[in-house]
PDB file of all heavy atoms in Angstrom:
ATOM      1  N   ILE U 217     115.216  93.974  34.669  1.00  0.00           N
ATOM      2  CA  ILE U 217     114.963  94.053  36.109  1.00  0.00           C
ATOM      3  C   ILE U 217     116.059  93.256  36.825  1.00  0.00           C
ATOM      4  O   ILE U 217     116.096  92.034  36.764  1.00  0.00           O
ATOM      5  CB  ILE U 217     113.563  93.477  36.452  1.00  0.00           C
ATOM      6  CG1 ILE U 217     112.461  94.187  35.655  1.00  0.00           C
ATOM      7  CG2 ILE U 217     113.312  93.538  37.965  1.00  0.00           C
ATOM      8  CD1 ILE U 217     112.306  95.670  35.959  1.00  0.00           C
ATOM      9  N   GLY U 218     116.941  93.999  37.481  1.00  0.00           N
ATOM     10  CA  GLY U 218     118.024  93.378  38.232  1.00  0.00           C
ATOM     11  C   GLY U 218     117.965  93.856  39.681  1.00  0.00           C
ATOM     12  O   GLY U 218     116.965  94.439  40.130  1.00  0.00           O
ATOM     13  N   ALA U 219     119.079  93.661  40.394  1.00  0.00           N
ATOM     14  CA  ALA U 219     119.105  94.004  41.829  1.00  0.00           C
ATOM     15  C   ALA U 219     118.746  95.471  42.062  1.00  0.00           C
ATOM     16  O   ALA U 219     117.947  95.784  42.965  1.00  0.00           O
ATOM     17  CB  ALA U 219     120.481  93.690  42.393  1.00  0.00           C
ATOM     18  N   ALA U 220     119.289  96.376  41.254  1.00  0.00           N
ATOM     19  CA  ALA U 220     119.037  97.811  41.473  1.00  0.00           C
ATOM     20  C   ALA U 220     117.560  98.141  41.259  1.00  0.00           C
ATOM     21  O   ALA U 220     116.962  98.909  42.032  1.00  0.00           O
ATOM     22  CB  ALA U 220     119.906  98.634  40.521  1.00  0.00           C
ATOM     23  N   LEU U 222     115.000  96.065  41.494  1.00  0.00           N
ATOM     24  CA  LEU U 222     114.204  95.448  42.571  1.00  0.00           C
ATOM     25  C   LEU U 222     114.295  96.272  43.843  1.00  0.00           C
ATOM     26  O   LEU U 222     113.326  96.432  44.586  1.00  0.00           O
ATOM     27  CB  LEU U 222     114.662  94.002  42.811  1.00  0.00           C
ATOM     28  CG  LEU U 222     114.339  93.061  41.643  1.00  0.00           C
ATOM     29  CD1 LEU U 222     115.198  91.792  41.718  1.00  0.00           C
ATOM     30  CD2 LEU U 222     112.856  92.691  41.636  1.00  0.00           C
ATOM     31  N   VAL U 240     114.335  89.302  33.585  1.00  0.00           N
ATOM     32  CA  VAL U 240     114.614  89.475  35.010  1.00  0.00           C
ATOM     33  C   VAL U 240     115.871  88.698  35.398  1.00  0.00           C
ATOM     34  O   VAL U 240     116.035  87.544  34.987  1.00  0.00           O
ATOM     35  CB  VAL U 240     113.407  88.947  35.851  1.00  0.00           C
ATOM     36  CG1 VAL U 240     113.681  89.092  37.333  1.00  0.00           C
ATOM     37  CG2 VAL U 240     112.135  89.676  35.477  1.00  0.00           C
ATOM     38  N   ASP U 241     116.717  89.327  36.176  1.00  0.00           N
ATOM     39  CA  ASP U 241     117.864  88.635  36.756  1.00  0.00           C
ATOM     40  C   ASP U 241     117.296  87.753  37.875  1.00  0.00           C
ATOM     41  O   ASP U 241     116.983  88.229  38.963  1.00  0.00           O
ATOM     42  CB  ASP U 241     118.858  89.661  37.280  1.00  0.00           C
ATOM     43  CG  ASP U 241     120.056  89.019  37.977  1.00  0.00           C
ATOM     44  OD1 ASP U 241     119.981  87.827  38.304  1.00  0.00           O
ATOM     45  OD2 ASP U 241     121.044  89.733  38.181  1.00  0.00           O
ATOM     46  N   GLN U 242     117.156  86.466  37.579  1.00  0.00           N
ATOM     47  CA  GLN U 242     116.419  85.584  38.474  1.00  0.00           C
ATOM     48  C   GLN U 242     117.123  85.376  39.825  1.00  0.00           C
ATOM     49  O   GLN U 242     116.462  85.219  40.854  1.00  0.00           O
ATOM     50  CB  GLN U 242     116.165  84.245  37.777  1.00  0.00           C
ATOM     51  CG  GLN U 242     115.086  83.424  38.445  1.00  0.00           C
ATOM     52  CD  GLN U 242     114.756  82.196  37.646  1.00  0.00           C
ATOM     53  OE1 GLN U 242     114.363  82.305  36.475  1.00  0.00           O
ATOM     54  NE2 GLN U 242     114.924  81.032  38.217  1.00  0.00           N
ATOM     55  N   ALA U 243     118.452  85.397  39.789  1.00  0.00           N
ATOM     56  CA  ALA U 243     119.190  85.250  41.058  1.00  0.00           C
ATOM     57  C   ALA U 243     118.898  86.458  41.952  1.00  0.00           C
ATOM     58  O   ALA U 243     118.663  86.307  43.173  1.00  0.00           O
ATOM     59  CB  ALA U 243     120.685  85.137  40.776  1.00  0.00           C
ATOM     60  N   ALA U 244     118.877  87.646  41.351  1.00  0.00           N
ATOM     61  CA  ALA U 244     118.580  88.850  42.131  1.00  0.00           C
ATOM     62  C   ALA U 244     117.139  88.829  42.616  1.00  0.00           C
ATOM     63  O   ALA U 244     116.842  89.240  43.745  1.00  0.00           O
ATOM     64  CB  ALA U 244     118.828  90.093  41.268  1.00  0.00           C
ATOM     65  N   LEU U 245     116.237  88.337  41.789  1.00  0.00           N
ATOM     66  CA  LEU U 245     114.825  88.258  42.201  1.00  0.00           C
ATOM     67  C   LEU U 245     114.659  87.276  43.351  1.00  0.00           C
ATOM     68  O   LEU U 245     113.941  87.554  44.324  1.00  0.00           O
ATOM     69  CB  LEU U 245     113.942  87.843  41.003  1.00  0.00           C
ATOM     70  CG  LEU U 245     112.468  87.626  41.335  1.00  0.00           C
ATOM     71  CD1 LEU U 245     111.802  88.917  41.839  1.00  0.00           C
ATOM     72  CD2 LEU U 245     111.689  87.092  40.115  1.00  0.00           C
ATOM     73  N   THR U 246     115.332  86.140  43.257  1.00  0.00           N
ATOM     74  CA  THR U 246     115.238  85.135  44.328  1.00  0.00           C
ATOM     75  C   THR U 246     115.677  85.760  45.653  1.00  0.00           C
ATOM     76  O   THR U 246     115.000  85.625  46.683  1.00  0.00           O
ATOM     77  CB  THR U 246     116.129  83.911  43.977  1.00  0.00           C
ATOM     78  OG1 THR U 246     115.725  83.410  42.711  1.00  0.00           O
ATOM     79  CG2 THR U 246     116.004  82.825  45.038  1.00  0.00           C
ATOM     80  N   GLN U 247     116.766  86.508  45.580  1.00  0.00           N
ATOM     81  CA  GLN U 247     117.279  87.156  46.807  1.00  0.00           C
ATOM     82  C   GLN U 247     116.285  88.184  47.342  1.00  0.00           C
ATOM     83  O   GLN U 247     115.997  88.221  48.535  1.00  0.00           O
ATOM     84  CB  GLN U 247     118.581  87.860  46.480  1.00  0.00           C
ATOM     85  CG  GLN U 247     119.702  87.322  47.313  1.00  0.00           C
ATOM     86  CD  GLN U 247     120.992  88.074  47.031  1.00  0.00           C
ATOM     87  OE1 GLN U 247     120.994  89.200  46.531  1.00  0.00           O
ATOM     88  NE2 GLN U 247     122.084  87.416  47.341  1.00  0.00           N
ATOM     89  N   ALA U 248     115.740  88.997  46.423  1.00  0.00           N
ATOM     90  CA  ALA U 248     114.789  90.037  46.829  1.00  0.00           C
ATOM     91  C   ALA U 248     113.554  89.429  47.460  1.00  0.00           C
ATOM     92  O   ALA U 248     112.985  89.973  48.422  1.00  0.00           O
ATOM     93  CB  ALA U 248     114.404  90.892  45.625  1.00  0.00           C
ATOM     94  N   LEU U 249     113.138  88.272  46.955  1.00  0.00           N
ATOM     95  CA  LEU U 249     111.961  87.611  47.512  1.00  0.00           C
ATOM     96  C   LEU U 249     112.286  86.962  48.856  1.00  0.00           C
ATOM     97  O   LEU U 249     111.455  86.919  49.769  1.00  0.00           O
ATOM     98  CB  LEU U 249     111.461  86.534  46.538  1.00  0.00           C
ATOM     99  CG  LEU U 249     110.822  87.092  45.252  1.00  0.00           C
ATOM    100  CD1 LEU U 249     110.754  86.013  44.179  1.00  0.00           C
ATOM    101  CD2 LEU U 249     109.433  87.635  45.560  1.00  0.00           C
ATOM    102  N   GLN U 250     113.512  86.460  48.975  1.00  0.00           N
ATOM    103  CA  GLN U 250     113.899  85.796  50.237  1.00  0.00           C
ATOM    104  C   GLN U 250     114.128  86.808  51.355  1.00  0.00           C
ATOM    105  O   GLN U 250     113.825  86.514  52.511  1.00  0.00           O
ATOM    106  CB  GLN U 250     115.190  84.975  50.010  1.00  0.00           C
ATOM    107  CG  GLN U 250     114.900  83.653  49.329  1.00  0.00           C
ATOM    108  CD  GLN U 250     116.160  82.957  48.819  1.00  0.00           C
ATOM    109  OE1 GLN U 250     117.184  83.599  48.566  1.00  0.00           O
ATOM    110  NE2 GLN U 250     116.110  81.651  48.671  1.00  0.00           N
ATOM    111  N   ASN U 251     114.643  88.007  50.996  1.00  0.00           N
ATOM    112  CA  ASN U 251     114.929  88.942  52.089  1.00  0.00           C
ATOM    113  C   ASN U 251     113.861  90.029  52.243  1.00  0.00           C
ATOM    114  O   ASN U 251     114.056  90.996  52.973  1.00  0.00           O
ATOM    115  CB  ASN U 251     116.340  89.548  51.960  1.00  0.00           C
ATOM    116  CG  ASN U 251     116.465  90.412  50.707  1.00  0.00           C
ATOM    117  OD1 ASN U 251     115.469  90.919  50.198  1.00  0.00           O
ATOM    118  ND2 ASN U 251     117.688  90.585  50.219  1.00  0.00           N
ATOM    119  N   ALA U 253     112.718  92.236  50.131  1.00  0.00           N
ATOM    120  CA  ALA U 253     112.902  93.524  49.433  1.00  0.00           C
ATOM    121  C   ALA U 253     111.649  93.872  48.612  1.00  0.00           C
ATOM    122  O   ALA U 253     111.342  95.029  48.404  1.00  0.00           O
ATOM    123  CB  ALA U 253     114.126  93.464  48.525  1.00  0.00           C
ATOM    124  N   GLU U 263     114.114  82.025  33.772  1.00  0.00           N
ATOM    125  CA  GLU U 263     115.303  82.140  32.919  1.00  0.00           C
ATOM    126  C   GLU U 263     115.636  80.809  32.274  1.00  0.00           C
ATOM    127  O   GLU U 263     116.028  80.730  31.129  1.00  0.00           O
ATOM    128  CB  GLU U 263     116.491  82.656  33.724  1.00  0.00           C
ATOM    129  CG  GLU U 263     116.445  84.149  33.924  1.00  0.00           C
ATOM    130  CD  GLU U 263     117.830  84.735  34.116  1.00  0.00           C
ATOM    131  OE1 GLU U 263     118.478  85.112  33.116  1.00  0.00           O
ATOM    132  OE2 GLU U 263     118.265  84.845  35.292  1.00  0.00           O
ATOM    133  N   ILE U 273     113.278  79.156  43.294  1.00  0.00           N
ATOM    134  CA  ILE U 273     112.298  80.231  43.066  1.00  0.00           C
ATOM    135  C   ILE U 273     110.853  79.757  43.114  1.00  0.00           C
ATOM    136  O   ILE U 273     109.994  80.444  43.638  1.00  0.00           O
ATOM    137  CB  ILE U 273     112.591  81.014  41.759  1.00  0.00           C
ATOM    138  CG1 ILE U 273     111.813  82.350  41.782  1.00  0.00           C
ATOM    139  CG2 ILE U 273     112.226  80.230  40.522  1.00  0.00           C
ATOM    140  CD1 ILE U 273     112.569  83.521  41.307  1.00  0.00           C
TER     141      ILE U 273
END
Side-chain angles (χ1 to χ4, degrees):
I217 304 297
L222 291 161
V240 179
D241 177 344
Q242 197 173 302
L245 176 62
T246 304
Q247 240 182 21
L249 290 163
Q250 282 168 335
N251 65 24
E263 281 206 89
I273 196 138

